[in-house]
Amino acid sequence: MKHKFYLLLAAILMSACTCEEQGLSSFPASEVVVSGPLAQRIKSNLARLQDDIYQPPQVFEDKNWPGDFVGRTILGLTLDSEAIHQETTLLPMLIDSLPAYLNPKGYLGPDYSPAINEQQLSGHGWLLRGLCEYYRKTGDESVLEVVRSVAENLFVVNKGLYSTYPIAPEERTNQGGEASGSIAGQVGNWILSTDIGCVFIGMAGLIDAYEFIPSKAIRQTLDEMVARFLEVDLTGIQAQTHATLSALRGLVKYARLTGDESLLDETLERWQIYVSEGMTCCYANLNWFGRPDSWTEPCAIVDSYIVAMDLWKATMDPSFRDMAELIEVNAIGHAQRSNGGFGCDSCPSEANPFLSVVIPEAHWCCTMRGAEGLSRMAEYSWMSKGNTLYVPFFRAGALCAEDLQVEQRTEYPDSGTVTLKFFRNDRGVDTLMLPVLPWADNLTIQLNGEVITPEEVGGMYAIARNFVSGDVVRLDFDLPLRSDEWNGCRRYYAGPVMLGIRGESPEWTLEDLEPVPGLMKCMDSDRVRVLFQ
């Protein structure tokens, strides 16, 4: 089996190229309009992120994970507000307040030197990410000074020690750990966390900093951190899946920034390990590899969604797009609660085939990262390459660029009808790419009322036409009941949506099945049977 995987991996890589080479790019958030359930979900999350617990001074007072709470909050507020074009006074307030909380070396929390606290590095990974996204949005040069001080005085200063980060299983034997993570002890210079491998969340943040501050010292530090990550036996050390997926998200970006495509190879290999040994039957995550008794974490689910899409953009292999949709519909959507926040669920198995709430809301981490998942859904709605317009997902919304305006209307995945209408095409779009859904049946595609049969290219339908205002493309398809096998059990779906039955009784028929609350259908307390033998 392993030999077959590497043959498949080699075949993918032979045809793969970086996203930059593909030329596939997203549209600016200002040109993307989300509507329907996704817009409601983002608005709900943005409102939650402005509650008292996200206001100063509380947001700066995380002593166990310095930089984490405020970094994730800045990231979530930045992305949510961009996605729905709604500014918030809290975001600039946090940016203005931040310098007063920095220590003399320009980062948050105490100076542990000569020891290194991996939770502090992890937390500052989120601070770097949040500040970099804020800089990308506003161009505020003052935040780059904070990015620089964190990068140089917290990360680069420890260059030469990352190769000593403890990765031997016997050094990481702690089987405890709570959802918020805690200190597990010290080995050598390293103060270690129960969130095994969380130092590599810091690495991912430093990669974001390197995009804007491409110094030789940061590059050398990153090369050392990346090399150490690639030495980790993820399952042997029972690494935290969130830390792993954040690292993979960073690796794809680092491959683009440095041109080192071998990192794509490494990412694909570890992605396969995650899918086979770290993903639940509902496309969420085990909190640690080898710990099915743990819980899901929306932070990790969001990273898995981003990594899947990054791999799709890098390889154009449709299986990655399909996986991203299954994660979006069945995992991200289910994790959002009715108050707009995100929480943790159980990890269903054959022994306990129920999906239920474990933590109603992880307000200290997942609620903020959920914002990134939702905003990336908006971002991934429309992409382009030259004169080709890509619609990777079917969801209600519109593209409103100055020279290109297209509206998409649909209630998918609740129904199989999608309509796209062009209102302006001064850009000269001459090809429309739409996804081939492996779970759809009886598809018909119409262009201005006439049935057409477009060419299928790389898992997408290519509709060639010099589109003009008034052109309408309509798709109609069925989403039949289907099933697949997972660890000796069968999962049932209607299209991409997993089905289940409420309550604890194992007695059921196909007629009893209903959608597990997924995209835009928050569930706070119900137990739903999702595995069937």
Side-chain angles (χ1 to χ4, degrees):
M1 180 64 69
K2 186 175 181 181
H3 178 66
K4 289 182 179 179
F5 165 66
Y6 283 110
L7 287 177
L8 174 62
L9 183 62
I12 292 174
L13 290 170
M14 288 178 64
S15 62
C17 55
T18 67
C19 178
E20 188 174 72
E21 290 170 340
Q22 282 281 349
L24 194 63
S25 60
S26 301
F27 288 84
S30 60
E31 297 178 350
V32 176
V33 176
V34 293
S35 59
L38 179 56
Q40 297 168 12
R41 182 164 288 220
I42 297 173
K43 289 176 183 177
S44 177
N45 182 252
L46 180 58
R48 174 60 174 148
L49 288 179
Q50 296 174 84
D51 283 345
D52 288 346
I53 58 173
Y54 301 104
Q55 303 275 342
Q58 299 96 308
V59 74
F60 292 100
E61 295 176 347
D62 189 342
K63 296 180 180 179
N64 294 320
W65 295 83
D68 194 288
F69 203 155
V70 65
R72 292 176 194 251
T73 301
I74 290 171
L75 179 65
L77 287 170
T78 300
L79 295 175
D80 268 351
S81 62
E82 276 195 306
I84 57 173
H85 314 147
Q86 179 178 317
E87 296 302 323
T88 167
T89 58
L90 176 57
L91 183 55
M93 183 192 305
L94 294 179
I95 297 297
D96 292 342
S97 301
L98 178 59
Y101 291 90
L102 301 176
N103 67 24
K105 291 190 174 181
Y107 54 85
L108 293 167
D111 178 3
Y112 289 94
S113 62
I116 310 168
N117 185 333
E118 74 167 320
Q119 291 190 172
Q120 186 177 38
L121 294 181
S122 177
H124 279 75
W126 294 119
L127 183 60
L128 289 174
R129 286 215 59 226
L131 293 177
C132 286
E133 287 294 342
Y134 184 81
Y135 175 73
R136 198 189 314 276
K137 170 184 168 70
T138 65
D140 183 348
E141 294 287 340
S142 68
V143 302
L144 282 189
E145 293 308 308
V146 180
V147 169
R148 187 184 303 276
S149 68
V150 170
E152 294 178 352
N153 299 332
L154 184 60
F155 285 87
V156 174
V157 71
N158 292 312
K159 182 163 58 74
L161 294 176
Y162 296 106
S163 60
T164 70
Y165 176 73
I167 62 173
E170 60 269 20
E171 295 177 307
R172 308 301 294 262
T173 57
N174 188 293
Q175 294 298 307
E178 299 179 355
S180 59
S182 57
I183 296 299
Q186 183 167 345
V187 176
N189 292 84
W190 287 93
I191 301 171
L192 301 175
S193 175
T194 56
D195 285 357
I196 299 172
C198 68
V199 64
F200 300 113
I201 295 177
M203 179 189 77
L206 190 60
I207 289 170
D208 267 32
Y210 181 67
E211 179 180 5
F212 297 109
I213 307 174
S215 73
K216 181 179 179 180
I218 294 178
R219 172 70 184 270
Q220 290 173 338
T221 303
L222 282 171
D223 286 345
E224 183 184 356
M225 297 181 83
V226 168
R228 192 58 167 170
F229 172 71
L230 297 180
E231 293 174 351
V232 175
D233 177 354
L234 298 173
T235 56
I237 202 176
Q238 292 193 323
Q240 188 199 35
T241 54
H242 175 208
T244 301
L245 291 162
S246 288
L248 295 184
R249 173 175 47 75
L251 282 188
V252 177
K253 184 168 190 174
Y254 200 48
R256 176 174 60 82
L257 294 175
T258 64
D260 183 358
E261 291 191 14
S262 70
L263 296 179
L264 181 61
D265 186 337
E266 301 286 3
T267 302
L268 284 163
E269 180 179 339
R270 286 156 182 79
W271 171 255
Q272 180 66 21
I273 294 172
Y274 168 71
V275 170
S276 62
E277 301 189 48
M279 181 177 277
T280 73
C281 69
C282 301
Y283 302 94
N285 70 302
L286 306 177
N287 198 55
W288 295 274
F289 285 102
R291 295 280 303 276
D293 60 329
S294 60
W295 48 83
T296 69
E297 186 180 17
C299 299
I301 299 169
V302 167
D303 278 333
S304 73
Y305 177 67
I306 295 171
V307 172
M309 283 302 293
D310 282 344
L311 291 174
W312 176 70
K313 289 186 289 184
T315 67
M316 300 309 293
D317 181 332
S319 68
F320 295 117
R321 190 224 70 91
D322 297 342
M323 177 61 78
E325 181 166 338
L326 291 168
I327 294 169
E328 173 185 316
V329 170
N330 299 297
I332 295 179
H334 187 272
Q336 190 172 14
R337 308 313 191 201
S338 55
N339 72 340
F342 283 75
C344 307
D345 296 324
S346 62
C347 302
S349 64
E350 183 177 2
N352 181 26
F354 295 98
L355 179 64
S356 56
V357 170
V358 175
I359 299 172
E361 184 189 8
H363 67 269
W364 59 89
C365 62
C366 297
T367 292
M368 300 89 104
R369 286 304 313 293
E372 182 166 18
L374 299 175
S375 67
R376 296 304 177 200
M377 291 182 201
E379 175 188 339
Y380 299 151
S381 296
W382 311 89
M383 297 183 184
S384 66
K385 176 188 175 184
N387 292 334
T388 300
L389 177 64
Y390 286 76
V391 181
F393 299 98
F394 294 136
R395 62 171 63 99
L399 177 63
C400 295
E402 184 175 340
D403 58 353
L404 180 62
Q405 297 178 10
V406 189
E407 180 187 48
Q408 180 180 176
R409 292 189 177 186
T410 184
E411 294 182 0
Y412 176 85
D414 291 334
S415 71
T417 297
V418 181
T419 301
L420 293 111
K421 183 173 181 179
F422 282 79
F423 290 90
R424 173 173 292 179
N425 184 22
D426 296 336
R427 184 171 299 198
V429 168
D430 56 19
T431 306
L432 178 64
M433 304 291 283
L434 304 175
V436 176
L437 302 179
W439 39 76
D441 200 4
N442 298 325
L443 171 71
T444 60
I445 302 178
Q446 299 178 53
L447 174 60
N448 297 331
E450 295 186 9
V451 175
I452 60 173
T453 305
E455 180 183 4
E456 185 177 331
V457 179
M460 303 199 83
Y461 294 112
I463 302 176
R465 175 179 173 81
N466 292 315
F467 290 94
V468 298
S469 178
D471 278 346
V472 176
V473 175
R474 176 178 170 129
L475 298 86
D476 291 282
F477 48 86
D478 296 329
L479 296 168
L481 182 72
R482 65 186 184 90
S483 68
D484 64 12
E485 185 176 355
W486 182 83
N487 288 352
C489 301
R490 298 211 66 81
R491 298 180 291 192
Y492 289 82
Y493 307 77
V497 181
M498 288 190 66
L499 301 175
I501 182 171
R502 293 185 184 278
E504 300 187 8
S505 172
E507 301 298 328
W508 62 278
T509 67
L510 291 181
E511 288 72 26
D512 294 322
L513 299 179
E514 61 184 38
V516 173
L519 182 65
M520 306 315 305
K521 298 175 182 175
C522 305
M523 186 188 79
D524 288 60
S525 60
D526 288 350
R527 286 165 56 87
V528 179
R529 187 179 179 88
V530 296
L531 274 180
F532 303 97
Q533 296 179 329

